[in-house]
């Protein structure tokens, strides 16, 4: 066997930083806008004359409740796909494309692969129905103050960062 005397790679894990988690979420959000919301935007815009004024849009929907019923299956499909995006990526890869960029990984409390039911519970907050909408405000605030999502505390899941270290001639280098 040929020994190339290459430096040994070691991996350390630490809790993911708030900034990396927030930026990775926005990257995932942009991808979701492109691959999920994009294809459905034409259907929604055909039904609702979208204006830049939120009040006008709400008034239009209040005066035309039948449009809400027509769009309900489309909106449900959109939120189901967003839910599936997070659950599928986190279950099979333990990461999403946004998290992957920063070397972030979703793990159970014991740094093991999280169970599917825990991931489902963690990501059910994407559905815009009460009581899940409470987490739309509570989760970001809790993350800003503690570095962890509130729903992660309940589901016993955490997001970690993997840092690779190479030993080069008695010195360590981080990458």
């Amino acid at each position: 066997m040929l020994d190339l005397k290459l430096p040994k790679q070691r991996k350390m894990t630490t809790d993911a930083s708030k900034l990396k988690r927030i930026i990775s979420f926005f990257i995932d959000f942009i991808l979701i806008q492109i691959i999920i919301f994009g294809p459905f935007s034409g259907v929604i815009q055909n039904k609702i004359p979208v204006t830049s004024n939120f009040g006008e849009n709400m008034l239009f929907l209040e005066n035309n409740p039948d449009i809400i019923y027509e769009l309900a299956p489309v909106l449900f499909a959109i939120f189901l796909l967003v839910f599936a995006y997070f659950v599928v990526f986190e279950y099979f890869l333990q990461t999403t494309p946004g998290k992957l960029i920063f070397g972030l990984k979703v793990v159970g409390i014991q740094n093991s692969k999280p169970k599917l039911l825990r991931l489902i519970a963690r990501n059910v907050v994407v559905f815009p129905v009460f009581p899940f909408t409470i987490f739309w405000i509570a989760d970001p605030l809790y993350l800003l103050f503690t570095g962890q999502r509130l729903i992660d505390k309940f589901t016993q899941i955490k997001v970690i960062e993997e840092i690779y270290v190479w030993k080069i001639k008695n010195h360590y280098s981080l990458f």
Side-chain angles (χ1 to χ4, degrees), residues 112-130:
S112 59
K113 183 177 179 181
K115 304 279 187 226
L116 180 60
L117 287 177
R118 290 186 188 273
L119 289 171
I120 289 170
R122 178 181 195 262
N123 291 297
V124 76
V125 299
V126 302
F127 288 101
V129 294
F130 185 81

Side-chain angles (χ1 to χ4, degrees), residues 107-146:
V107 296
I109 294 299
Q110 303 298 326
N111 286 342
S112 59
K113 183 177 179 181
K115 304 279 187 226
L116 180 60
L117 287 177
R118 290 186 188 273
L119 289 171
I120 289 170
R122 178 181 195 262
N123 291 297
V124 76
V125 299
V126 302
F127 288 101
V129 294
F130 185 81
F132 305 133
T133 52
I134 292 171
F135 285 99
W136 291 7
I137 296 168
D139 255 359
L141 289 175
Y142 196 79
L143 176 68
L144 286 174
F145 290 109
T146 67

